[in-house]
């Protein structure tokens, strides 16, 4: 099961777009993944058993991203971390990647948030699931 980037109480207008992109890339890696409902990512640890039971999942992927953008230079940087939790809430593994993206003329920062995050997804997925196929 994939937890969405969105979390209650945190305004993130691009969270749904990033979640959709991550789901698509996980599926391209031949992983059978369903998206759960938004919840506090820390609550996934204590509620892992209920999440797995309710969704039929064998594990939970918890994404976390930090994005920095420069309105002066039009550059974006993303640090993405994917954590894999067992149904008991223990950490099974993680994948992490960073990406940069620059834009010379276009200043659509919302699209940059998703774009730079997408660039980091592939390497993070491959680190988390090194034996996966694409």
């Amino acid at each position: 099961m994939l937890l969405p980037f969105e979390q209650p109480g945190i305004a993130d207008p691009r969270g749904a777009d990033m979640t959709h992109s991550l789901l698509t890339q996980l599926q391209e890696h031949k992983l059978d993944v369903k998206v759960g409902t938004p919840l506090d990512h820390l609550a996934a640890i204590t509620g892992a058993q209920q999440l797995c039971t309710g969704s039929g999942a064998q594990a939970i992927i918890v994404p976390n991203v930090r994005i920095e953008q420069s309105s002066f230079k039009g550059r974006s940087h993303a640090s993405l971390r994917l954590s894999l939790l067992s149904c008991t809430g223990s950490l099974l593994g993680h994948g992490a990647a960073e990406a940069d993206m620059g834009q010379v003329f276009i200043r659509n920062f919302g699209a940059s948030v998703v774009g730079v995050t997408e660039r980091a997804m592939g390497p993070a997925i491959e680190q988390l699931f090194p034996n996966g196929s694409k």
Side-chain angles (χ1 to χ4, degrees), residues 66-84:
R66 176 181 167 89
I67 300 171
E68 299 173 0
Q69 294 186 301
S70 169
S71 59
F72 178 71
K73 293 184 179 180
R75 297 197 58 78
S76 299
H77 176 83
S79 296
L80 177 70
R81 182 177 178 94
L82 302 176
S83 299
L84 184 65

Side-chain angles (χ1 to χ4, degrees), residues 20-132:
H20 177 75
S21 292
L22 181 55
L23 176 64
T24 300
Q25 288 197 35
L26 288 165
Q27 290 171 339
E28 287 173 357
H29 281 80
K30 309 294 187 239
L31 296 166
D32 182 18
V33 181
K34 297 175 187 165
V35 177
T37 57
L39 63 101
D40 182 303
H41 288 182
L42 293 177
I45 297 168
T46 58
Q49 183 64 50
Q50 295 88 346
L51 290 171
C52 287
T53 301
S55 67
Q58 296 175 346
I60 303 163
I61 301 170
V62 182
N64 188 329
V65 67
R66 176 181 167 89
I67 300 171
E68 299 173 0
Q69 294 186 301
S70 169
S71 59
F72 178 71
K73 293 184 179 180
R75 297 197 58 78
S76 299
H77 176 83
S79 296
L80 177 70
R81 182 177 178 94
L82 302 176
S83 299
L84 184 65
L85 297 178
S86 72
C87 290
T88 62
S90 63
L91 182 65
L92 297 173
H94 70 273
E98 296 190 16
D100 290 300
M101 188 168 96
Q103 295 180 327
V104 179
F105 301 110
I106 300 172
R107 301 275 177 165
N108 184 339
F109 290 109
S112 295
V113 166
V114 177
V116 74
T117 303
E118 286 175 341
R119 287 186 181 190
M121 288 176 186
I125 293 168
E126 290 165 12
Q127 189 178 37
L128 181 59
F129 299 104
N131 297 324

